[in-house]
Amino acid sequence: MLDLLDGKELYGKVDSLRAERGWTIYELAKQAGVSPTTIYNWRDRGSSPTLSLLDAICSAFEITVIDFLLNEDEISALTEEQHELMRLWNTLSSDKKKSILNLMRSM
């Protein structure tokens, strides 16, 4: 699993996914709905991204944050229900995600 506190490691994976698609940083930013400056700052400073930035970038790549963070062995260990939850989560708007998180926290 990638370390959420290791901004350079996280950016390295984002950069690899970006390159696989043939996107520039500008194109990634546009797909993610963030400013290119945000991504350049993350790259240049090596700081950890916010979860909202990571979620936006993963949405641009059409993957879940969990898919992004886990390696292939860890992903295959998930149950079918967990995979389904991740697929469904990725289709939700940010407001719906917040509502579900609040509901789950209240349980």
Side-chain angles (χ1 to χ4, degrees):
M1 178 187 237
L2 291 175
D3 181 356
L4 278 171
L5 300 178
D6 188 341
K8 289 185 182 202
E9 181 182 21
L10 295 172
Y11 182 80
K13 182 150 184 190
V14 166
D15 203 44
S16 176
L17 292 169
R18 179 193 61 75
E20 284 175 15
R21 287 162 177 75
W23 292 353
T24 63
I25 289 178
Y26 178 80
E27 289 168 318
L28 171 58
K30 183 177 178 183
Q31 292 292 326
V34 300
S35 75
T37 303
T38 300
I39 296 174
Y40 282 117
N41 285 340
W42 174 22
R43 179 193 69 185
D44 296 341
R45 293 182 183 153
S47 59
S48 294
T50 63
L51 286 176
S52 62
L53 173 59
L54 197 53
D55 186 49
I57 287 173
C58 288
S59 292
F61 291 136
E62 297 181 344
I63 61 173
T64 66
V65 173
I66 298 296
D67 287 331
F68 175 80
L69 293 173
L70 297 179
N71 64 41
E72 198 60 39
D73 293 338
E74 293 168 318
I75 290 173
S76 64
L78 297 176
T79 67
E80 186 53 42
E81 284 180 328
Q82 291 168 326
H83 281 285
E84 182 179 6
L85 284 171
M86 290 189 317
R87 283 190 299 274
L88 292 170
W89 177 265
N90 212 33
T91 65
L92 299 174
S93 69
S94 61
D95 287 340
K96 288 181 181 179
K97 288 177 184 178
K98 287 177 187 174
S99 295
I100 288 175
L101 287 174
N102 288 334
L103 174 65
M104 292 178 78
R105 287 182 186 120
S106 71
M107 297 177 136

